[in-house]
Amino acid sequence: MDAQGRGRADDVDPADQWVLNPNTGEYELRLSPSAPQSGIPGPRRAAPSPSRMGAPGSRTTAPAAPGRDVPPPRRRRGAPPEEPLPGRRGRRPVKQKSKAKKALLWTGGTMAFVLVAGATGGYFYLKHLEGNVGTTDVGDAAASSFSKDEAFNILIIGTDKRTGEGNEGYGDAGSVGHADTTILLHVAKDRTNATALSIPRDLIVDIPDCKTKQEDGTDTVVAGQDGVRFNRSLGERGRDAGCTMRTVEGATGIKPDHFVMADFNAVKTLTTAVDGVEVCVENAVNDKKSKLVLPAGTSKVEGERALAFVRTRHAFGNEGDLDRIKVQQQFLGSLMRKMTSGDTLTSPRKLLKLAEAATNALTVDEAIGKVGTLKDIALELKQVPTKNISFMTIPVVDNPAETIKATVVVDRTRAPAIFDAIAGDVSFTEVKKQEKKEKADVAARLKGTKSAASDVRVRILNGGAAGGSAQQQLAHLQTEEGVTKSENAGNAEAALAKTTLEYAPDQADQARRLADIMGLSGAAMKPGKSVTNAQGLPAMTLTLGKDFKGAGVKLNSSTAAAPNVDKSTADKAQCAS
C-alpha cells in the first residue's frame, strides 16, 4: 500500500466506507480523510483464482486487495488530495428509499438461480468485478446482444464438476462438468412475471451437432447423438454450453437467448455471503451419503450444508432426480426471498460480498460478459415480483424403452401447452396486465357499435395454438356466447405468435362484438377483407395464435389455462418431504 493506505486501514469495516452522495442518491466508496479517494485502484496482492466451470471459456481475474472487500484507491504521484463528496462518514449508511437501492444483481449457484444485489462502487471496482466473470464463445447459439425492451430466455446451468475444497463427495469423479441441474428462465416482456422451467438431467433427448471453439481458438463440430440423457449435452466430447442451449431448443421449441453457468462452489459461496438461507423439512434428515443432518421444521443452511441440501437425493421423496428438483426449487425460492429482503439490500457489507461471490461463480456467453450488461439484466429481473415467478418441471413419463426405469421422456400430452405458453410470453400466475397505450387509430378499432352475437359470421383457423383449439373455441362460441354463424376452417398456412381477427370495413360492428367476447386488443384487430364462409356469405377470419389460452379464456386475462403439472411460486415458503 502507499502511505495513505497504511496504519489501521485493514481494520476498517468496508461497509463504513460507503456513504450516500446526496447529489446522486447512491452509495459511493469514500475512505477516511487520511486516505483521499482517487480514480486509480491501489496495488493488490495476488490471490488464487476461484474454481471455474468445466466448459471451455476464458477469464481474467483481478485479485482482491489484502484485508479489504474492495480494492483500495490510490492517488497519482504528485496529485493533490481530492476533496470527499458530501455525505455521511464514520457510520453505516441508514436505510434509504428505493432509488438508493440501485443494485448489481445476478443469478448463479449449483441449482442455478441466485439474485445478487451490489451497490454501485465506481468504474474501477466494476472493472474488477468484470474480471471475475468467465465467458464462453458459443457463436450463434446465443443472441448477439441483450435488449431491455423484449422478453428473454436465460438457460441457467449447474454442473457436477468437482472443483474446490470439500467437493470430493459430490458429482462424478473426474467429470468434465455435465449439465447436472438446468433451468430455463423466461422473463416476460412487461416484467410482470417469469417462469423457471426445470429440465431433468435424465431426460432422453437428441443432441444436435454442435460447433464449439477450442482452447487454441479453432472451431470444431462435435457430432450429435440421438436418444441420450440430457446431461450429456455439456462437457462430454468437448461440448460447451452452446450445445446445451441447442439441445434445449430442439427439445422444447424455445430458443435460449443467453446462458449462465456455475459449479458446486457457487451455492456454498453465495449462501455464505448472505449469512445463510432458511429451509424447511417435514421430517428430520440424517443422510449418510451427503452428510446432511437437519431437524424437522425450519433451519438455516449455508456453505457446505446448503450444498448438501440441494445435492442430496436420498432424504426426500422417492430418492430420485425429480424429487430433488422440487427441493431445489423450494431452496431457490427461499434464496430469492433472502436476496431481495431489506436486510440484504440495505447492507453494503452483504452487497459487496455478494457482488464478489456472484461474479466469481459465473461463466456466461460473451454477449453478456460485461458487468454493465449483467447489471442491466439483473435490474430487469428485479422488476418481477417473487409472487409471479413460477417454478415447474417439464412434464415427463417413464421411458417406455426401458424395463428398469432409469430415464424419462417428454410427456407429449402435457408439455406442449407449457412450451407454447412460454414461447408466447404467457404468465402462469395471476398478474395485472400492464397494457401499453395503443395509438389512437388502433385503439379506435374497439370503439363504436357492436352487433348482436347472433349476427357475427366468423371462420376460425388454428395458427399456432394447441391442437384442437379451433374446434374447442368454435364449440364455446356457439354454445356459450351465441355466435352460431361460426365454423372451423382448419389450420392456418403459417403460425402466429398473436391471435388476430381480420375483417372488412362493413364488418367492424361484428369485429367489435367478437373482440369483446374474446378480450382482443385493438392491435389484434386487422382491417382488411372478408372471406366467404360455407354458406357463401362474407365472414371474418379469426386466427388463433400461440398466445391463445384455451376456449373461453379471454386474451386480455392475466394467465394461461392452469397446466396439469406441479407448480410453485417464489414468494411462498414450503417444506421438503
Side-chain angles (χ1 to χ4, degrees):
M1 278 195 183
D2 56 18
Q4 284 83 358
R6 288 198 180 95
R8 298 182 53 82
D10 288 348
D11 298 328
V12 177
D13 185 340
D16 293 332
Q17 297 175 324
W18 290 84
V19 299
L20 180 68
N21 183 342
N23 296 321
T24 64
E26 297 181 355
Y27 291 117
E28 296 181 352
L29 180 65
R30 292 292 179 267
L31 302 183
S32 63
S34 63
Q37 175 150 339
S38 167
I40 306 298
R44 300 169 180 161
R45 185 168 60 220
S49 175
S51 301
R52 298 302 307 162
M53 306 305 306
S58 61
R59 77 160 42 253
T60 303
T61 302
R68 292 184 183 273
D69 287 53
V70 293
R74 180 176 69 179
R75 277 196 299 121
R76 281 193 174 90
R77 184 173 297 175
E82 295 180 31
E83 289 296 324
L85 292 176
R88 294 181 183 273
R89 286 184 246 173
R91 55 187 277 190
R92 200 166 294 203
V94 296
K95 183 176 180 180
Q96 302 295 325
K97 294 183 179 180
S98 60
K99 72 174 183 178
K101 295 180 183 176
K102 292 183 179 178
L104 175 65
L105 303 154
W106 186 238
T107 63
T110 298
M111 28 54 70
F113 180 148
V114 181
L115 262 171
V116 176
T120 55
Y123 172 80
F124 286 103
Y125 185 59
L126 291 180
K127 295 303 288 184
H128 160 72
L129 293 178
E130 194 167 287
N132 291 347
V133 181
T135 61
T136 299
D137 181 0
V138 295
D140 60 5
S144 59
S145 62
F146 171 72
S147 174
K148 295 182 183 180
D149 301 321
E150 300 295 333
F152 60 92
N153 303 311
I154 295 181
L155 191 65
I156 305 168
I157 308 169
T159 78
D160 59 2
K161 187 174 184 180
R162 292 183 180 183
T163 57
E165 184 179 354
N167 291 331
E168 295 80 6
Y170 304 102
D172 299 324
S175 172
V176 291
H178 297 109
D180 186 65
T181 301
T182 308
I183 296 175
L184 178 61
L185 174 67
H186 171 79
V187 180
K189 181 176 181 178
D190 63 7
R191 309 301 187 242
T192 61
N193 65 91
T195 301
L197 183 67
S198 292
I199 303 173
R201 69 179 187 178
D202 296 329
L203 179 68
I204 295 300
V205 296
D206 294 338
I207 300 175
D209 293 346
C210 299
K211 184 178 180 180
T212 60
K213 188 170 290 295
Q214 305 302 294
E215 292 184 3
D216 62 3
T218 61
D219 292 327
T220 189
V221 175
V222 181
Q225 291 178 277
D226 293 341
V228 297
R229 294 177 193 247
F230 173 80
N231 68 339
R232 296 174 64 180
S233 65
L234 178 71
E236 186 175 290
R237 301 186 183 181
R239 295 186 179 109
D240 61 17
C243 192
T244 307
M245 296 171 76
R246 292 183 173 96
T247 302
V248 168
E249 182 179 6
T252 67
I254 304 167
K255 180 176 176 58
D257 299 303
H258 304 285
F259 83 88
V260 297
M261 186 163 58
D263 63 12
F264 290 149
N265 280 323
V267 71
K268 293 165 65 173
T269 58
L270 290 167
T271 53
T272 299
V274 294
D275 298 332
V277 174
E278 281 194 354
V279 297
C280 180
V281 294
E282 289 187 0
N283 304 301
V285 174
N286 188 357
D287 182 10
K288 299 294 190 297
K289 292 190 176 182
S290 68
K291 299 181 177 60
L292 177 65
V293 178
L294 290 175
T298 302
S299 302
K300 186 166 74 169
V301 297
E302 64 178 273
E304 190 68 36
R305 277 216 306 173
L307 178 56
F309 183 83
V310 299
R311 285 292 305 157
T312 182
R313 296 182 61 169
H314 304 285
F316 309 111
N318 296 321
E319 303 186 9
D321 188 50
L322 296 179
D323 290 305
R324 186 184 68 149
I325 287 174
K326 293 179 183 178
V327 173
Q328 291 172 345
Q329 290 173 346
Q330 293 165 11
F331 176 86
L332 178 55
S334 179
L335 189 52
M336 291 174 63
R337 291 191 297 274
K338 184 65 176 287
M339 294 300 96
T340 56
S341 69
D343 179 58
T344 299
L345 293 178
T346 58
S347 170
R349 176 194 294 274
K350 288 183 181 178
L351 296 178
L352 290 174
K353 289 170 66 178
L354 281 167
E356 291 287 349
T359 51
N360 273 312
L362 297 180
T363 296
V364 303
D365 57 279
E366 289 191 332
I368 61 172
K370 301 292 185 182
V371 165
T373 306
L374 293 176
K375 182 185 73 172
D376 288 342
I377 295 175
L379 290 174
E380 297 301 307
L381 286 171
K382 186 172 179 252
Q383 297 180 45
V384 182
T386 54
K387 69 178 182 178
N388 292 334
I389 300 175
S390 300
F391 293 106
M392 60 184 68
T393 303
I394 290 180
V396 296
V397 295
D398 288 335
N399 187 352
E402 294 177 334
T403 302
I404 300 176
K405 304 303 181 184
T407 61
V408 293
V409 296
V410 172
D411 183 346
R412 292 300 172 186
T413 64
R414 296 183 296 156
I418 294 176
F419 299 157
D420 288 345
I422 293 174
D425 198 26
V426 179
S427 173
F428 290 103
T429 58
E430 290 287 345
V431 297
K432 294 181 179 179
K433 287 191 71 69
Q434 305 293 324
E435 297 286 358
K436 288 186 177 180
K437 188 176 181 180
E438 294 181 327
K439 293 182 179 180
D441 57 340
V442 174
R445 297 171 188 170
L446 295 170
K447 298 177 181 179
T449 59
K450 302 180 182 70
S451 68
S454 59
D455 291 332
V456 173
R457 290 191 300 271
V458 61
R459 300 174 75 245
I460 305 172
L461 294 170
N462 189 332
S469 292
Q471 185 59 38
Q472 293 165 10
Q473 181 65 12
L474 174 67
H476 172 79
L477 289 176
Q478 290 184 340
T479 60
E480 303 294 332
E481 304 292 350
V483 184
T484 55
K485 298 174 182 176
S486 51
E487 61 186 57
N488 182 355
N491 294 325
E493 293 181 358
L496 300 178
K498 302 291 185 180
T499 296
T500 62
L501 176 62
E502 184 177 4
Y503 58 96
D506 61 352
Q507 296 171 316
D509 56 345
Q510 296 182 46
R512 286 190 286 268
R513 173 57 65 192
L514 190 57
D516 182 61
I517 290 172
M518 294 191 59
L520 297 175
S521 67
M525 300 173 67
K526 305 294 183 181
K529 60 183 180 180
S530 64
V531 293
T532 302
N533 67 9
Q535 288 74 42
L537 298 173
M540 301 181 295
T541 301
L542 174 66
T543 306
L544 306 179
K546 292 182 179 180
D547 63 337
F548 182 70
K549 304 175 183 182
V553 181
K554 290 195 173 187
L555 269 298
N556 59 0
S557 66
S558 58
T559 68
N564 183 26
V565 297
D566 290 335
K567 185 186 68 156
S568 61
T569 52
D571 63 316
K572 295 179 181 177
Q574 294 181 299
C575 292
S577 60

